[in-house]
Amino acid sequence: MISLKQYWSRLLALVLVMTIALVGCSGNGLLTGDYRQDTLSLVNSMRTAIELPEDSPEKSSAQADARLRINEFFARYRRDESVAKLASFTTMQTALNGLAGHYNSYPNRPVPKKLKDRLEQEFKQVESALSRGT
């Protein structure tokens, strides 16, 4: 016979396993499949991650969200020939590589102003290219 404590422990384990299974199988994550919408969403996420003050409690979660979105964006669109040749994609790829490189090389350091300025310029170019449909 199992005790009440063992019962609740097993029930909690079952609920956690089911939650992980359902979330893991629930589709494509943060991307919608609409290149324009996904790119604008990623730009906003990246802006948030680099503009938050270093002492902000949301900084680490914003950076983690940006990294996750960068990885998903690359995984989804890098091999899509209809997207890979667009000016917005190549500029976005340059920006993503710059920020991802900083996060990988200097995870505990703030993004330097020079990189922030370059990223903002590239974000504006991406938004402009998307508005033109390229």
Side-chain angles (χ1 to χ4, degrees):
M1 184 169 207
I2 64 172
S3 71
L4 189 57
K5 184 176 180 181
Q6 288 175 326
Y7 171 77
W8 285 111
S9 176
R10 289 180 182 177
L11 182 62
L12 178 61
L14 178 64
V15 168
L16 289 173
V17 168
M18 294 300 292
T19 302
I20 290 170
L22 291 173
V23 170
C25 299
S26 66
N28 297 331
L30 302 171
L31 300 179
T32 65
D34 177 355
Y35 169 73
R36 184 178 187 284
Q37 180 181 350
D38 290 344
T39 304
L40 292 173
S41 174
L42 181 57
V43 166
N44 289 332
S45 174
M46 291 174 63
R47 276 187 175 133
T48 300
I50 63 174
E51 290 175 359
L52 281 172
E54 289 304 311
D55 59 350
S56 172
E58 297 90 23
K59 183 74 170 182
S60 63
S61 64
Q63 288 176 336
D65 180 60
R67 284 187 201 126
L68 179 63
R69 287 177 187 267
I70 289 169
N71 290 338
E72 283 194 25
F73 188 83
F74 272 150
R76 181 169 199 123
Y77 294 113
R78 181 181 283 154
R79 293 193 174 115
D80 185 343
E81 292 179 24
S82 65
V83 169
K85 296 176 183 177
L86 296 175
S88 59
F89 181 79
T90 56
T91 305
M92 190 65 174
Q93 190 170 14
T94 302
L96 294 175
N97 286 337
L99 188 58
H102 174 77
Y103 284 156
N104 289 334
S105 299
Y106 312 105
N108 297 326
R109 293 186 186 172
V111 177
K113 180 162 176 30
K114 185 175 181 179
L115 178 56
K116 283 182 183 181
D117 292 344
R118 190 188 95 205
L119 289 170
E120 185 55 39
Q121 179 184 6
E122 290 169 344
F123 295 157
K124 287 178 182 177
Q125 289 173 351
V126 167
E127 290 168 334
S128 175
L130 286 171
S131 69
R132 291 189 314 267
T134 62

